[in-house]
Amino acid sequence: MSDPTIVFPLYPGVTHLDFTGPHQVMSRIPGAKLIVASAGAADIEADGLTFTGLADLSKVEACDVLCIPGGFGTTAAMLDEAFMADIKRLAAGAKYLTSVCTGSLILAAAGLLKGKRATCHWAWKDQLKPFGVIVTEGRVVRDGNVITGGGVTAGLDFAFTMVAELAGETLAQSIQLGLEYQPDPPFNAGSPETAPPEILAAVRGMMSGAMASRQGAAEEAARRLETAAT
């Protein structure tokens, strides 16, 4: 695809690596236009960094790739009717519907993943089920024009997959080499299956506070979809 337009919709509470990682990789596609947008062009604070000079999401007319990052803010974003209306509007004309981490919950809440295979961060995968998603293991999962990445760092694997899709494997591999992307983590604790039990328990404990509210938001968003369909 020549000169693709790629839109990253941001919202309060987004995880910045979910979009800065893919943005860094995909910004090296020749001719690509990358738009980072928020509701009302508002500044977005994310884990101590503030992103400013953003586009107004409601004024972004169209895109080829809609890439939705995740974050704890997905709980509120799924129920923000104005934000979700813009997601649905842009998705209607996009060639690719994509996400990183819990961004897939927003795609699901927009009614875009029913009956589709998709993934998410390991801790939140069950929250895709109320939307009729076929929850699938994998760093990057594809179902037609829907391409989803797992938790946070999977955004890089997702991004190289997208570069190959949009501009070919030669460019994707060249960018990979240019960025020296050759992961070699110091610990084998990157998944529930490999992390020491005490580490897994501690991380589950840290996330437990958000679990109920996000589950409630997912169920409410799914209910709204059902109501709109009737």
Side-chain angles (χ1 to χ4, degrees):
M1 178 185 296
S2 60
D3 304 336
T5 297
I6 304 166
V7 172
F8 296 86
L10 305 191
Y11 49 86
V14 71
T15 294
H16 62 70
L17 188 57
D18 282 7
F19 76 90
T20 53
H23 187 285
Q24 173 70 80
V25 173
M26 290 192 280
S27 69
R28 299 197 177 191
I29 300 174
K33 180 181 181 181
L34 279 68
I35 300 173
V36 183
S38 64
D43 292 353
I44 296 293
E45 189 278 332
D47 297 316
L49 298 180
T50 299
F51 294 87
T52 189
L54 306 178
D56 185 339
L57 185 61
S58 68
K59 295 180 180 178
V60 178
E61 295 182 357
C63 63
D64 298 300
V65 180
L66 181 62
C67 183
I68 305 180
F72 285 107
T74 54
T75 303
M78 285 189 289
L79 301 179
D80 183 329
E81 294 185 0
F83 178 80
M84 293 302 296
D86 282 323
I87 296 300
K88 294 174 183 177
R89 175 179 59 81
L90 289 169
K95 294 179 175 64
Y96 297 95
L97 305 176
T98 74
S99 65
V100 176
C101 197
T102 52
S104 57
L105 286 170
I106 292 176
L107 287 179
L112 303 170
L113 297 186
K114 187 174 183 179
K116 296 284 188 178
R117 293 182 298 107
T119 193
C120 187
H121 185 286
W122 61 266
W124 314 105
K125 286 181 179 178
D126 284 349
Q127 294 175 359
L128 288 169
K129 294 178 180 178
F131 300 101
V133 179
I134 303 169
V135 181
T136 307
E137 298 294 327
R139 294 276 287 178
V140 181
V141 173
R142 178 170 188 165
D143 190 335
N145 71 332
V146 173
I147 304 175
T148 54
V152 190
T153 61
L156 287 170
D157 297 347
F158 154 80
F160 287 111
T161 300
M162 286 306 306
V163 173
E165 179 71 18
L166 296 170
E169 291 187 4
T170 297
L171 179 63
Q173 292 182 61
S174 298
I175 295 173
Q176 180 181 359
L177 178 58
L179 295 176
E180 198 175 354
Y181 178 59
Q182 188 176 9
D184 184 19
F187 309 107
N188 191 21
S191 74
E193 292 76 22
T194 63
E198 66 274 16
I199 300 297
L200 177 59
V203 173
R204 286 192 187 278
M206 287 188 291
M207 293 180 170
S208 62
M211 189 65 71
S213 61
R214 183 172 285 175
Q215 182 66 40
E219 292 174 357
E220 171 61 17
R223 185 194 64 77
R224 291 182 184 184
L225 278 178
E226 291 180 3
T227 300
T230 58

